[in-house]
Amino acid sequence: MPSRWAIDYTYHRPSRRTAALRGGVLPSLRRPLPVVAIVIDTSGSMGEDHLATALAEVTGVLR
């Protein structure tokens, strides 16, 4: 059964079951790391209170 979130096959690192085959190579599943970005609105409509709240949320996400 495939691992959770493993979505693509690769031959870079052979499957651990490859040793059971004589001369055959099985692909293994890979889990790519997601790219994440955090954007904070710093326009004139954002006051100090809103910016402080946004930065607190970013701090919470990073923890």
Side-chain angles (χ1 to χ4, degrees), residues 4-57:
R4 185 177 174 149
W5 304 113
I7 61 170
D8 198 11
Y9 288 97
T10 179
Y11 286 94
H12 186 262
R13 178 176 167 216
S15 171
R16 58 191 165 119
R17 294 179 301 237
T18 299
L21 297 175
R22 298 177 195 260
V25 177
L26 294 174
S28 62
L29 286 169
R30 70 177 184 95
R31 289 180 223 145
L33 294 175
V35 176
V36 178
I38 299 174
V39 179
I40 299 175
D41 178 15
T42 58
S43 65
S45 62
M46 293 286 284
E48 284 187 38
D49 296 343
H50 289 111
L51 286 174
T53 302
L55 289 175
E57 288 294 326

